[in-house]
């Protein structure tokens, strides 16, 4: 049985597309649903074009009430019997309660070699620090941002002429290769015993 996976996005959804396109007969996951907190996220149409159900749960009407928005998100996930959540450019902080509910079965991709550069603006920070290599990390999501157990990383060189944009493009290509493999690894590892259990 393949694990039923939902991808949460806010934007372009290039990692989402990579996760969908990498599915093969022997892959342990099935992307069954894409959800965005932004109704205008281009990734929604991209998911539909790839044959995956995609829906926005707009955060706007909920204002600052993150818990109420997440309750609406959770209802959609539950209605589809989702077993794993893959965050792919989901730009809204999650409440500790939502994280605890999914802990061990929710992963994220971040465009730096964590623990270096959690948060935003990772490529500019790597260039300013004079780093000679950069990369991306897939990790389990815990309450602290970009801090959960690391599943996999990919490295790319930083070139002398790099701008944040050129470095971002090189890292993004690595993300597209890394994320499908890391999701599959996380699911297969989980079947042998959860790496981090949900909190009570
Ligand atoms: C990626 O760089 C990812 O690492 C970060 O947000 C970006 C999302 O890009 N979390 P896309 O929407 O997958 O194209």
């Amino acid at each position: 049985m393949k694990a039923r996976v939902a991808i949460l996005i806010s934007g372009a959804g290039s990692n989402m597309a990579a996760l969908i396109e990498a599915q093969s007969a022997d892959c342990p996951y099935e992307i069954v649903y894409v959800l965005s907190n932004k109704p205008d996220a281009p990734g929604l149409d991209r998911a539909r074009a790839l044959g995956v159900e995609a829906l926005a749960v707009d955060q706007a009407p909920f204002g600052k009430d993150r818990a109420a928005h997440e309750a609406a998100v959770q209802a959609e996930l539950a209605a589809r019997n989702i077993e794993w959540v893959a965050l792919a450019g989901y730009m809204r902080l999650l409440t500790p309660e939502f994280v605890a509910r999914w802990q061990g079965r929710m992963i994220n991709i971040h465009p730096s070699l964590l623990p270096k550069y959690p948060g935003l603006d990772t490529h500019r920070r790597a260039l300013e620090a004079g780093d000679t290599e950069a990369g991306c990390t897939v990790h389990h999501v815990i309450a602290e941002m970009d801090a959960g157990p690391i599943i996999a990383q990919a490295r790319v060189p930083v070139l002398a002429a790099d701008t944040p944009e050129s470095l971002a493009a090189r890292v993004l290509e690595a993300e597209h290769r890394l994320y499908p493999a890391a999701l599959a690894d996380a699911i297969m590892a989980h079947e042998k015993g959860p790496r981090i259990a949900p909190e009570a």
Side-chain angles (χ1 to χ4, degrees), residues 74 89 95 99 105-106 117 156 159-160 162 178 188:
Q74 178 58 34
T95 65
V99 171
R105 292 180 298 122
M106 178 159 64
Y117 315 130
V156 302
L159 305 182
D162 265 334
L178 183 70
M188 288 187 297

Side-chain angles (χ1 to χ4, degrees), residues 9 11-16 46 88-91 108-111 123 172 175-176:
I9 63 167
S14 71
N15 277 290
M16 170 210 79
R46 200 162 175 183
Y90 189 69
M91 300 302 286
N108 179 47
I109 188 155
H110 182 76
H123 307 299
L172 194 61
E175 291 182 40
H176 298 161

Side-chain angles (χ1 to χ4, degrees), residues 115-158:
K116 269 189 164 181
Y117 315 130
L120 297 175
D121 239 357
T122 54
H123 307 299
R124 184 187 55 73
R125 290 154 72 197
L127 292 177
E128 281 176 5
D131 292 356
T132 55
E133 64 173 9
C136 49
T137 304
V138 176
H139 63 93
H140 281 282
V141 176
I142 62 170
E144 191 186 338
M145 195 180 61
D146 300 330
I150 289 173
I151 297 160
Q153 291 186 309
R155 291 163 192 276
V156 302
V158 175

